Each structure stands twice: as structure tokens, then as C-alpha cells.
Amino acid sequence: MPRWHIDIDRYLNPWLAPSVLPRLPYPLAHFLGYRTERTHRATPLGNLIIIFWAFLGIFGTLSLIGLIAKNVPEFQSRGVPLVVGSFGAAAVLDFYAIESPLAQPRNAIIGQLIASVAGVSIAKLFMLIPDFESIRWVGGALSCAVATGLMALTGTIHPPAGATALMAVADDSVSKLGWFLIPVVMLGCGVMLFMALVVNNIQRRFPFYWWTPEATGEYWRRKVTPGDLPTLELSNENKSAACTSSSSGDLEMAKSIELDDRVVISRGLVQVPTGFYLTIEEKKLLETLSLRI
């Protein structure tokens, strides 16, 4: 039976430039999520510390977004809600579940962008129907489904974005914004990302990656052909952080293991049998786990 599967990263990653974070001044790179072997701390924090920073981050970020919405004349004249409802769920991801692939910048920004465009587009189409109010619920369901499909295809699944797409059709206070919803959501996402970079990098690390934990730029380095290897290699900055408490010998040992039908997870390396199917989200989850070993 044929396997219907699209992995967009397989085609994009080789063409993307390698990370520039290692070349930035370290104080700046630190607050962009970069860690070196010397500075990375593998000691886990207690949940009370995590809750403390999550509380400060969520409260401060949503308050700031509300303050901006309340004091920008254009927002007031268009009746923009103080805080778009989906930002609440996004804040929980961005300040508490920061290790989740769903919380990384690619998902949080591009996922919301895709959902906003999909939601507004479907809302505009349904509004052309004379009896729009009686079938608004169909449009809301369709917009959420379309947004989810597009996010899955692009590797940008972000659950709060599903709410954004739904509200773009089903919620009067949001649907009336039309295309103006897109800059509103993008501004909120930008503020949330900035606050997350500041708050989460004081005692933790965020993001774990900006685009993908896998290596990028292989085409430019002329090392491998895309898709040839089943090994899920981490990008350079993630490798350096992952190897804090393990020697290079450990990684070489992991590479020499005969896989057979096993999935091997070691610090900085994930190996799967050739032909073994993993979704994008499953790959990113395994790679994130490998950084915590």
C-alpha cells in the first residue's frame, strides 16, 4: 500500500542557510536561545521556578498586548479586542511548555499567519452568501480545518492558531476586522516572542530552535543529498548544547549501533530504521527529548 506523506523540511532544509547564532556576540545569542557546551546547564529546575517565570511572562505579555491595543488609535477606531482569545493558549505554550515543538518560533509565528489568512479568506467567501448568519458555524469549522491542514503540510502546527482561524469566522468582534486581523495577530505574536526570549532565557532556554532542530544548509556545504540518511541530525547550536554532559565518544558509539527495528535516542542524536515513518511533529519531539538526556 503506498504511503502518502509530504515532509516539507526534506526539501527546504538543504537550501536554508546554516544558523548564524554561533557567529553573534554571545550575550545576544544567549537571549536568542543559543547555548555553548560551557554555558549550557543540564540541571533541571524545580516546577515552582518554572511556574514563577511562566506567571510573570504570561501576565506581563498579555498586559502589554492589551495596553498596546488600548492605546493605538487605529486599533480603537476599528474595535480591535484588547486581547485576541487565542493569545491566552499561545502564552501558556510560550512561557510554560517552552520545550514543546508547538511553542517554537516557526510554529508560533507562521502557524498564526497561516491561520489568520485562511480564516479571513473563508470568512470573506462565506459573507458573500446572503444567509451567512445561518451557516456561520460551517465557515468556522471549515476555517479551522483548512488552517490545520495547511499548518500540518508546512510543519507549523500551533494549536492556538486553530482558535484564531475559528474566531476569524465565528466571532463577531474578530470577523469584523477583516484583513486587519492579520497585522493585529502578527503584532501580538511579535510582542509575545520578544517577551518569551527575555523571560525564558533568564534561567531556562528558549527557543530550542528557530526553524528546525535538524541540520540546514547541506546543499551549500555539498556534504549529503537531501533525504539520503535516516539519521535526524541536530543543527550545530543544538549539538553543542546537547553534548554538555556527554563526550564525543558517546555520540560515535550511538552512530555505530545496529538499528534493526529500534529507535535510538542519545544526547544530540536520534536514529530510526530506514523506512520508518515519523510525522514532522514526532521527529521534532524526539529531537527535543534528545537535548534533555
Side-chain angles (χ1 to χ4, degrees):
M1 183 176 179
R3 187 185 73 183
W4 297 87
H5 177 65
I6 296 177
D7 182 358
I8 192 173
D9 281 358
R10 177 181 178 183
Y11 304 101
L12 290 181
N13 287 353
W15 297 90
L16 298 177
S19 174
V20 299
L21 295 182
R23 296 191 290 274
L24 296 177
Y26 187 75
L28 173 61
H30 175 89
F31 280 94
L32 294 176
Y34 177 70
R35 298 294 186 274
T36 65
E37 181 176 343
R38 182 177 60 84
T39 59
H40 180 66
R41 298 178 180 178
T43 304
L45 298 174
N47 71 325
L48 293 181
I49 295 177
I50 295 174
I51 293 170
F52 170 76
W53 288 117
F55 176 88
L56 287 184
I58 293 172
F59 176 77
T61 299
L62 295 182
S63 297
L64 180 58
I65 292 174
L67 183 65
I68 293 172
K70 187 175 178 61
N71 290 278
V72 174
E74 186 68 15
F75 282 23
Q76 291 182 322
S77 64
R78 292 176 178 266
V80 175
L82 288 181
V83 178
V84 177
S86 61
F87 286 167
V92 175
L93 279 175
D94 285 357
F95 291 98
Y96 186 80
I98 63 174
E99 296 174 347
S100 169
L102 307 177
Q104 306 310 307
R106 173 184 177 180
N107 298 63
I109 301 296
I110 301 180
Q112 286 280 22
L113 176 61
I114 289 173
S116 300
V117 173
V120 174
S121 299
I122 291 174
K124 293 291 186 182
L125 289 174
F126 269 71
M127 286 178 183
L128 297 175
I129 301 174
D131 201 16
F132 167 65
E133 288 298 331
S134 65
I135 60 169
R136 181 193 286 259
W137 57 276
V138 178
L142 179 62
S143 66
C144 186
V146 169
T148 301
L150 293 174
M151 287 188 289
L153 286 173
T154 56
T156 58
I157 284 289
H158 187 60
T164 301
L166 177 63
M167 290 188 299
V169 182
D171 189 329
D172 271 330
S173 64
V174 177
S175 62
K176 70 180 182 180
L177 298 177
W179 296 111
F180 193 68
L181 174 64
I182 298 173
V184 169
V185 170
M186 289 296 97
L187 176 62
C189 290
V191 171
M192 192 169 298
L193 176 60
F194 173 79
M195 293 292 290
L197 291 174
V198 174
V199 174
N200 293 337
N201 283 301
I202 295 176
Q203 284 191 286
R204 296 182 289 170
R205 179 191 178 192
F206 179 83
F208 275 77
Y209 54 85
W210 282 84
W211 178 260
T212 176
E214 299 179 36
T216 58
E218 293 296 340
Y219 174 82
W220 308 110
R221 289 193 289 264
R222 309 286 183 178
K223 286 186 176 180
V224 296
T225 301
D228 280 351
L229 301 177
T231 300
L232 308 179
E233 289 193 43
L234 300 181
S235 57
N236 290 334
E237 67 269 22
N238 284 335
K239 280 184 178 179
S240 64
C243 295
T244 301
S245 57
S246 66
S247 65
S248 58
D250 294 333
L251 294 179
E252 292 302 321
M253 187 187 307
K255 292 178 182 178
S256 66
I257 294 177
E258 292 295 332
L259 290 178
D260 299 327
D261 58 351
R262 292 174 293 171
V263 175
V264 178
I265 305 177
S266 59
R267 182 173 288 273
L269 180 70
V270 178
Q271 287 186 305
V272 298
T274 302
F276 185 75
Y277 172 75
L278 287 173
T279 65
I280 297 174
E281 289 72 30
E282 288 170 338
K283 288 168 60 178
K284 291 180 179 177
L285 177 60
L286 290 176
E287 290 155 351
T288 302
L289 290 174
S290 76
L291 300 178
R292 300 175 59 188
I293 295 176

